[in-house]
């Protein structure tokens, strides 16, 4: 291949893939595979061991069997940039390029494996319906996974038209903002279009993944952003605001104003998977207070000189926030301990230490009572 034809080929790849997020850095990472004659592409859908890949030659169907099938964190997923064989029946994905970000949750299996939901995401849009009572704890859980992934989270309060009172809506936004420090909180009504322009501007800056429970209005939101009914929409139940799983696969959609959107099925379970940094980011005010505790390993339970408990007493920190922080940290420790023998041993030593301290305290009390 001459230099001019090579340049022309690279140009055609750029023009075809740029709307999907292709840039110079991805081109550099793909260079070794380009030299082998493989095609560059982005995965727009995965199902049953096969995937749809958009390439300069169009959208291709490819098998993913070559890419580590037994590790759920290393399988091909929506959002991956991959190297695809130029021909063959079936056609195969050879590998995927190193991921910039990865959105991972724990599976429901007893082996506590991680499941990757989306890759190379810039913004994690957490959709929360205002048709039902806002669950702040669930928002914190989604945000922990989002921060851990490396993406910038955004909370979108959907169905804002169902809260016509401006004061009530402002209070709801304030509650969520307190729950989500450092995270933009937007109100959107897909019904009348309010707030969609702001959300579209956010989503235009790269790849966004749309997350939330069934009934949160994700598919309606996706349709509004794309500008057409690309996703089926089903009415949520009036009783609890929950909907059916309208979206059953993760689809990558190009937005007319720039950027791409990955829509996901409604997530009933949002288990943490090695998300300590993400939890710390969600509860940044607690982490900051903890730096002033007398003991560096303070558990914020009953230790003397605990700055976190002092903040509870003064009203600076709400008890719900602290309890949610404890809950997510405990859950994350359990998940990590199941897959990390070293952490498991450290936890066992900590439990023994606390058990010994509790036993010693009881002995002291018995001595006083005697």
């Amino acid at each position: 291949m001459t230099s001019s034809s090579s340049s022309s080929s690279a140009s055609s790849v750029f023009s075809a893939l740029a709307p999907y997020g292709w840039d110079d850095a991805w081109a550099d990472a793909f260079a070794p595979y380009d030299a082998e004659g493989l095609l560059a592409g982005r995965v727009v859908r995965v199902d049953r061991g096969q995937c749809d890949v958009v390439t300069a030659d169009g959208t291709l169907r490819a098998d993913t069997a070559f890419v580590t099938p037994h590790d759920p964190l290393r399988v091909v997923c929506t959002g991956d940039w991959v190297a695809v064989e130029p021909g063959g029946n079936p056609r195969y994905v050879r590998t995927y390029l190193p991921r910039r970000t990865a959105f991972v949750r724990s599976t429901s299996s007893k082996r506590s494996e991680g499941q990757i939901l989306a890759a190379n995401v810039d913004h994690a849009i957490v959709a929360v319906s205002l048709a039902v009572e806002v669950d702040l704890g669930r928002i914190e859980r989604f945000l922990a996974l989002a921060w851990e992934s490396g993406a910038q989270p955004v909370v979108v309060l959907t169905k804002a038209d169902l809260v016509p009172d401006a004061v009530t809506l402002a209070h709801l936004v304030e509650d969520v903002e307190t729950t989500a420090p450092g995270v933009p909180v937007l109100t959107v009504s897909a019904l009348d279009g309010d707030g969609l322009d702001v959300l579209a501007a956010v989503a235009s800056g790269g790849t966004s993944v749309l997350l939330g429970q069934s009934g949160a209005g994700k598919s309606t939101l996706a349709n509004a952003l794309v500008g057409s009914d690309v996703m089926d929409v089903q009415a949520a139940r009036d009783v609890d605001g929950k909907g059916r799983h309208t979206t059953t696969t993760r689809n990558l959609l190009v937005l007319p104003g720039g950027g791409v959107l990955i829509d996901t099925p409604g997530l009933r379970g949002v288990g943490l998977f090695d998300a300590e940094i993400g939890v710390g980011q969600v509860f940044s005010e607690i982490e900051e207070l903890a730096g002033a505790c007398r003991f560096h390993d303070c558990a914020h339970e009953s230790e003397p000189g605990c700055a976190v408990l002092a903040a509870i007493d003064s009203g600076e920190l709400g008890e719900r926030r602290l309890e949610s922080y404890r809950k997510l940290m405990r859950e994350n420790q359990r998940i990590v301990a199941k897959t990390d023998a070293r952490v498991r041993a450290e936890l066992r030593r900590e439990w023994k230490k606390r058990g010994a301290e509790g036993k010693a305290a009881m002995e002291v009390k018995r001595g006083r009572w005697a």
Side-chain angles (χ1 to χ4, degrees):
M1 181 182 295
T2 66
S3 60
S4 60
S5 62
S6 177
S7 175
S8 175
S9 175
S11 177
S12 65
V13 169
F14 256 94
S15 61
L17 299 183
Y20 293 87
W22 187 256
D23 57 27
D24 289 335
W26 287 123
D28 290 342
F30 188 78
Y33 306 106
D34 184 39
E36 294 180 28
L38 299 176
L39 297 176
R42 193 164 197 192
V43 177
V44 297
R45 178 187 173 97
V46 177
D47 59 275
R48 299 180 181 179
Q50 292 191 316
C51 63
D52 293 337
V53 184
V54 61
T55 72
D57 291 348
T59 301
L60 309 175
R61 189 72 168 165
D63 195 296
T64 64
F66 274 148
V67 184
T68 315
H70 303 299
D71 184 344
L73 292 180
R74 298 182 65 185
V75 298
V76 171
C77 75
T78 303
D80 272 327
W81 287 100
V82 296
V84 186
E85 292 178 346
N89 187 20
R91 190 189 303 262
Y92 287 97
V93 171
R94 286 281 190 87
T95 188
Y96 59 81
L97 300 184
R99 293 162 176 159
R100 294 178 183 175
T101 62
F103 196 97
V104 179
R105 69 166 176 174
S106 67
T107 65
S108 57
S109 72
K110 294 182 179 180
R111 290 180 293 178
S112 299
E113 296 174 328
Q115 177 191 20
I116 184 163
L117 300 179
N120 303 311
V121 172
D122 301 295
H123 303 287
I125 301 172
V126 180
V128 180
S129 173
L130 292 178
V132 293
E133 184 177 355
V134 175
D135 187 340
L136 298 178
R138 182 167 288 274
I139 292 175
E140 289 163 342
R141 182 177 290 273
F142 270 115
L143 292 177
L145 295 179
W147 281 123
E148 189 69 31
S149 75
Q152 166 67 51
V154 179
V155 176
V156 176
L157 303 180
T158 66
K159 308 181 184 181
D161 52 282
L162 298 180
V163 188
D165 181 66
V167 174
T168 301
L169 183 59
H171 283 309
L172 288 169
V173 171
E174 183 179 1
D175 287 344
V176 176
E177 286 177 337
T178 302
T179 300
V183 176
V185 178
L186 310 178
T187 58
V188 169
S189 170
L191 184 66
D192 55 31
D194 285 352
L196 282 174
D197 55 341
V198 178
L199 180 58
V202 171
S204 68
T207 299
S208 300
V209 62
L210 192 52
L211 306 160
Q213 288 183 285
S214 297
K218 297 189 310 303
S219 293
T220 301
L221 204 56
N223 287 337
L225 289 171
V226 174
S228 61
D229 292 338
V230 293
M231 309 302 295
D232 292 331
V233 178
Q234 295 176 351
R237 299 197 298 255
D238 291 335
V239 176
D240 54 12
K242 294 180 180 178
R244 297 179 183 177
H245 288 291
T246 304
T247 306
T248 56
T249 59
R250 296 169 189 93
N251 303 280
L252 189 146
L253 312 167
V254 176
L255 302 178
V260 293
L261 179 71
I262 299 175
D263 192 20
T264 64
L267 301 176
R268 289 195 180 96
V270 193
L272 301 184
F273 186 79
D274 197 6
E276 183 176 353
I277 294 175
V279 174
Q281 187 74 34
V282 175
F283 298 92
S284 56
E285 80 277 30
I286 296 179
E287 296 272 297
E288 185 175 349
L289 286 166
C293 290
R294 181 183 301 177
F295 304 109
H296 75 277
D297 59 347
C298 183
H300 320 307
E301 298 284 354
S302 59
E303 296 86 346
C306 175
V308 174
L309 295 180
I312 292 287
D313 292 339
S314 69
E316 179 186 352
L317 179 67
E319 290 188 12
R320 191 208 66 80
R321 282 285 281 175
L322 178 57
E323 184 52 40
S324 185
Y325 172 75
R326 288 169 174 163
K327 178 181 179 181
L328 293 184
M329 288 298 282
R330 286 195 300 266
E331 176 183 327
N332 192 68
Q333 283 185 325
R334 286 195 297 269
I335 291 295
V336 173
K338 287 180 180 180
T339 56
D340 191 320
R342 179 184 58 79
V343 173
R344 187 162 61 246
E346 289 178 357
L347 282 176
R348 189 176 294 114
R349 285 194 295 271
E350 180 65 19
W351 292 334
K352 287 182 178 180
K353 177 184 174 183
R354 293 196 177 188
E357 290 173 348
K359 183 177 180 181
M362 288 301 299
E363 292 295 335
V364 170
K365 288 182 178 180
R366 290 195 186 99
R368 291 174 181 170
W369 295 335

